[in-house]
Amino acid sequence: MSSSKRHSILPPIQAGPKPPVHFSSSITIADSAVLTGSNPITIASESVIHPRARIESLGGRITIGRRCIVHERAILGAIGTKGKITESGVTLGDYVTVEVGASIEAGNTVISDGTTVGVGCKIAAGATVGRYCTLTPHTVIAAGEVVPDFTVIYSNGTRRKDRRGVEELRNKGQARQIEVLRRMIPSNPAKFQ
């Protein structure tokens, strides 16, 4: 007799200690997301955390702003090679998107409002990414690097300024995507509290 429940082909994720959490009542967080660590994790209103996203607060406090999207297999607060423990691990501004498989190390790392972190990007500890930046897939940002506002960075290191002036359109698009995701992703914030 076969089960009708769909099973993941990926191995189960091991969870560590349960962190203190502060959630807005309007977040969407999948039951299979993983939150671990000993420092607080704060998620602001209307943000969406996909299944299998991993948020680790061992390296410092994690703060996720309003209307952010953290996709599958993305890791926020990864402990880097230097293993720094800081008060502020990772801070995401409002309207930030962290795409599939991206990794953001803990260590006073800041991703400012409206930024898109592409598939498989690596952002090292202490980096600061400005407002409305776009990091294309597999871009690497070095430890302590400061990326100016409105910068597009390609995976080969090439950079340019984004002078299109479409910030409001990006925010509206993000809000509409969140509306759709809220209907598609079963949310269970009580599991993490």
Side-chain angles (χ1 to χ4, degrees):
M1 177 185 256
S2 68
S3 171
S4 63
K5 184 177 178 188
R6 184 175 166 197
H7 296 284
S8 175
I9 61 169
L10 298 172
I13 296 175
Q14 300 299 319
K18 199 170 188 176
V21 294
H22 307 285
F23 292 160
S24 166
S25 60
S26 63
I27 70 161
T28 301
I29 183 165
D31 190 49
S32 59
V34 177
L35 277 61
T36 63
S38 53
N39 292 296
I41 296 175
T42 303
I43 304 176
S45 64
E46 300 181 56
S47 288
V48 175
I49 310 299
H50 277 258
R52 302 185 71 77
R54 187 172 188 94
I55 302 173
E56 302 174 350
S57 69
L58 288 170
R61 178 175 20 95
I62 305 293
T63 304
I64 298 174
R66 191 170 152 276
R67 289 188 172 168
C68 291
I69 301 172
V70 179
H71 285 271
E72 297 88 359
R73 298 188 325 270
I75 302 173
L76 300 184
I79 302 293
T81 55
K82 296 187 177 158
K84 288 190 209 174
I85 305 287
T86 61
E87 181 164 325
S88 177
V90 174
T91 302
L92 300 185
D94 297 337
Y95 293 94
V96 171
T97 300
V98 180
E99 293 185 351
V100 176
S103 175
I104 302 173
E105 290 183 3
N108 296 322
T109 308
V110 177
I111 311 298
S112 301
D113 296 352
T115 291
T116 300
V117 178
V119 173
C121 286
K122 305 284 185 224
I123 301 176
T128 301
V129 179
R131 296 174 56 243
Y132 296 98
C133 291
T134 301
L135 308 180
T136 64
H138 304 290
T139 297
V140 176
I141 303 296
E145 185 174 346
V146 177
V147 177
D149 295 348
F150 304 102
T151 302
V152 177
I153 303 179
Y154 298 95
S155 60
N156 64 2
T158 304
R159 296 170 184 233
R160 71 172 176 84
K161 284 290 192 182
D162 186 352
R163 302 183 196 283
R164 297 176 296 167
V166 295
E167 300 81 38
E168 283 303 312
L169 286 174
R170 285 176 77 168
N171 289 350
K172 285 180 184 177
Q174 181 99 330
R176 292 191 70 191
Q177 184 179 6
I178 287 170
E179 286 177 30
V180 172
L181 291 173
R182 291 183 71 163
R183 290 192 297 261
M184 293 176 61
I185 298 173
S187 183
N188 186 10
K191 171 188 174 186
F192 303 101
Q193 295 185 348

